[in-house]
mmCIF file of all heavy atoms in Angstrom:
data_model
loop_
_atom_site.group_PDB
_atom_site.id
_atom_site.type_symbol
_atom_site.label_atom_id
_atom_site.label_comp_id
_atom_site.label_asym_id
_atom_site.label_seq_id
_atom_site.Cartn_x
_atom_site.Cartn_y
_atom_site.Cartn_z
ATOM 1 N N ALA A 408 -78.819 1.937 -46.443
ATOM 2 C CA ALA A 408 -79.849 2.690 -45.765
ATOM 3 C C ALA A 408 -80.664 3.480 -46.778
ATOM 4 O O ALA A 408 -81.919 3.560 -46.622
ATOM 5 C CB ALA A 408 -79.175 3.690 -44.765
ATOM 6 N N LYS A 409 -80.059 3.970 -47.796
ATOM 7 C CA LYS A 409 -80.764 4.710 -48.805
ATOM 8 C C LYS A 409 -81.625 3.761 -49.721
ATOM 9 O O LYS A 409 -82.740 4.039 -50.059
ATOM 10 C CB LYS A 409 -79.773 5.482 -49.670
ATOM 11 C CG LYS A 409 -80.423 6.410 -50.758
ATOM 12 C CD LYS A 409 -81.279 7.503 -50.112
ATOM 13 C CE LYS A 409 -81.839 8.449 -51.212
ATOM 14 N NZ LYS A 409 -82.731 9.423 -50.562
ATOM 15 N N LEU A 410 -81.029 2.614 -50.029
ATOM 16 C CA LEU A 410 -81.667 1.647 -50.887
ATOM 17 C C LEU A 410 -82.867 0.991 -50.217
ATOM 18 O O LEU A 410 -83.871 0.759 -50.826
ATOM 19 C CB LEU A 410 -80.699 0.580 -51.329
ATOM 20 C CG LEU A 410 -79.547 0.984 -52.310
ATOM 21 C CD1 LEU A 410 -78.578 -0.127 -52.527
ATOM 22 C CD2 LEU A 410 -80.118 1.487 -53.645
ATOM 23 N N PHE A 411 -82.783 0.713 -48.945
ATOM 24 C CA PHE A 411 -83.833 -0.066 -48.235
ATOM 25 C C PHE A 411 -84.503 0.747 -47.187
ATOM 26 O O PHE A 411 -85.232 0.232 -46.338
ATOM 27 C CB PHE A 411 -83.197 -1.305 -47.645
ATOM 28 C CG PHE A 411 -82.699 -2.283 -48.625
ATOM 29 C CD1 PHE A 411 -81.340 -2.333 -48.922
ATOM 30 C CD2 PHE A 411 -83.551 -3.164 -49.342
ATOM 31 C CE1 PHE A 411 -80.851 -3.250 -49.863
ATOM 32 C CE2 PHE A 411 -83.084 -4.057 -50.270
ATOM 33 C CZ PHE A 411 -81.741 -4.060 -50.591
ATOM 34 N N ARG A 412 -84.329 2.102 -47.165
ATOM 35 C CA ARG A 412 -85.014 3.009 -46.289
ATOM 36 C C ARG A 412 -84.817 2.647 -44.797
ATOM 37 O O ARG A 412 -85.822 2.489 -44.039
ATOM 38 C CB ARG A 412 -86.523 3.053 -46.668
ATOM 39 C CG ARG A 412 -86.794 3.477 -48.083
ATOM 40 C CD ARG A 412 -88.254 3.569 -48.405
ATOM 41 N NE ARG A 412 -88.458 4.000 -49.805
ATOM 42 C CZ ARG A 412 -89.657 4.248 -50.339
ATOM 43 N NH1 ARG A 412 -90.764 4.007 -49.586
ATOM 44 N NH2 ARG A 412 -89.782 4.674 -51.585
ATOM 45 N N LEU A 413 -83.633 2.529 -44.439
ATOM 46 C CA LEU A 413 -83.290 2.173 -43.006
ATOM 47 C C LEU A 413 -83.126 3.438 -42.234
ATOM 48 O O LEU A 413 -82.614 4.480 -42.693
ATOM 49 C CB LEU A 413 -82.012 1.309 -42.977
ATOM 50 C CG LEU A 413 -82.049 -0.008 -43.793
ATOM 51 C CD1 LEU A 413 -80.693 -0.660 -43.750
ATOM 52 C CD2 LEU A 413 -83.173 -0.915 -43.343
ATOM 53 N N ASP A 414 -83.457 3.380 -40.933
ATOM 54 C CA ASP A 414 -83.369 4.545 -40.062
ATOM 55 C C ASP A 414 -82.043 4.555 -39.291
ATOM 56 O O ASP A 414 -81.343 3.542 -39.193
ATOM 57 C CB ASP A 414 -84.555 4.494 -39.061
ATOM 58 C CG ASP A 414 -84.440 3.282 -38.186
ATOM 59 O OD1 ASP A 414 -84.900 2.196 -38.632
ATOM 60 O OD2 ASP A 414 -83.944 3.339 -37.048
ATOM 61 N N LEU A 415 -81.652 5.717 -38.804
ATOM 62 C CA LEU A 415 -80.412 5.916 -38.127
ATOM 63 C C LEU A 415 -80.331 5.134 -36.833
ATOM 64 O O LEU A 415 -79.284 4.617 -36.489
ATOM 65 C CB LEU A 415 -80.125 7.382 -37.845
ATOM 66 C CG LEU A 415 -78.756 7.745 -37.337
ATOM 67 C CD1 LEU A 415 -77.732 7.319 -38.335
ATOM 68 C CD2 LEU A 415 -78.682 9.240 -37.040
ATOM 69 N N PHE A 416 -81.414 5.024 -36.146
ATOM 70 C CA PHE A 416 -81.447 4.258 -34.858
ATOM 71 C C PHE A 416 -81.018 2.794 -35.100
ATOM 72 O O PHE A 416 -80.115 2.247 -34.443
ATOM 73 C CB PHE A 416 -82.783 4.259 -34.121
ATOM 74 C CG PHE A 416 -82.960 3.260 -33.080
ATOM 75 C CD1 PHE A 416 -82.397 3.448 -31.865
ATOM 76 C CD2 PHE A 416 -83.624 2.015 -33.355
ATOM 77 C CE1 PHE A 416 -82.562 2.451 -30.843
ATOM 78 C CE2 PHE A 416 -83.751 1.035 -32.378
ATOM 79 C CZ PHE A 416 -83.219 1.280 -31.118
ATOM 80 N N SER A 417 -81.662 2.129 -36.035
ATOM 81 C CA SER A 417 -81.373 0.773 -36.341
ATOM 82 C C SER A 417 -79.931 0.563 -36.819
ATOM 83 O O SER A 417 -79.245 -0.377 -36.419
ATOM 84 C CB SER A 417 -82.351 0.214 -37.423
ATOM 85 O OG SER A 417 -83.658 0.219 -36.959
ATOM 86 N N LEU A 418 -79.488 1.473 -37.687
ATOM 87 C CA LEU A 418 -78.078 1.385 -38.150
ATOM 88 C C LEU A 418 -77.093 1.570 -37.022
ATOM 89 O O LEU A 418 -76.152 0.785 -36.934
ATOM 90 C CB LEU A 418 -77.864 2.502 -39.231
ATOM 91 C CG LEU A 418 -78.657 2.354 -40.566
ATOM 92 C CD1 LEU A 418 -78.433 3.621 -41.359
ATOM 93 C CD2 LEU A 418 -78.236 1.168 -41.326
ATOM 94 N N GLY A 419 -77.282 2.547 -36.203
ATOM 95 C CA GLY A 419 -76.379 2.835 -35.141
ATOM 96 C C GLY A 419 -76.339 1.732 -34.086
ATOM 97 O O GLY A 419 -75.262 1.302 -33.681
ATOM 98 N N VAL A 420 -77.469 1.234 -33.625
ATOM 99 C CA VAL A 420 -77.531 0.192 -32.627
ATOM 100 C C VAL A 420 -76.998 -1.099 -33.160
ATOM 101 O O VAL A 420 -76.318 -1.833 -32.537
ATOM 102 C CB VAL A 420 -78.971 0.064 -32.064
ATOM 103 C CG1 VAL A 420 -79.106 -1.184 -31.138
ATOM 104 C CG2 VAL A 420 -79.388 1.303 -31.333
ATOM 105 N N ALA A 421 -77.312 -1.391 -34.434
ATOM 106 C CA ALA A 421 -76.793 -2.644 -35.055
ATOM 107 C C ALA A 421 -75.277 -2.562 -35.173
ATOM 108 O O ALA A 421 -74.581 -3.557 -34.903
ATOM 109 C CB ALA A 421 -77.384 -2.792 -36.415
ATOM 110 N N SER A 422 -74.754 -1.344 -35.486
ATOM 111 C CA SER A 422 -73.304 -1.212 -35.549
ATOM 112 C C SER A 422 -72.658 -1.416 -34.176
ATOM 113 O O SER A 422 -71.658 -2.150 -34.047
ATOM 114 C CB SER A 422 -72.978 0.209 -36.088
ATOM 115 O OG SER A 422 -71.581 0.404 -36.148
ATOM 116 N N LEU A 423 -73.211 -0.847 -33.171
ATOM 117 C CA LEU A 423 -72.618 -0.938 -31.846
ATOM 118 C C LEU A 423 -72.870 -2.288 -31.220
ATOM 119 O O LEU A 423 -72.044 -2.750 -30.391
ATOM 120 C CB LEU A 423 -73.173 0.168 -30.878
ATOM 121 C CG LEU A 423 -72.388 1.476 -30.816
ATOM 122 C CD1 LEU A 423 -72.769 2.250 -29.616
ATOM 123 C CD2 LEU A 423 -70.921 1.187 -30.834
ATOM 124 N N ALA A 424 -73.982 -2.921 -31.612
ATOM 125 C CA ALA A 424 -74.220 -4.310 -31.084
ATOM 126 C C ALA A 424 -73.116 -5.257 -31.602
ATOM 127 O O ALA A 424 -72.763 -6.189 -30.903
ATOM 128 C CB ALA A 424 -75.571 -4.783 -31.591
ATOM 129 N N ASN A 425 -72.563 -4.885 -32.738
ATOM 130 C CA ASN A 425 -71.431 -5.651 -33.277
ATOM 131 C C ASN A 425 -70.117 -5.168 -32.662
ATOM 132 O O ASN A 425 -69.395 -5.967 -32.051
ATOM 133 C CB ASN A 425 -71.347 -5.509 -34.803
ATOM 134 C CG ASN A 425 -72.327 -6.429 -35.566
ATOM 135 O OD1 ASN A 425 -71.987 -7.576 -35.790
ATOM 136 N ND2 ASN A 425 -73.516 -5.907 -35.841
#
Side-chain angles (χ1 to χ4, degrees):
K409 184 64 175 177
L410 291 174
F411 295 99
R412 301 182 180 183
L413 303 177
D414 61 280
L415 188 60
F416 165 80
S417 296
L418 293 172
V420 172
S422 178
L423 269 196
N425 279 275

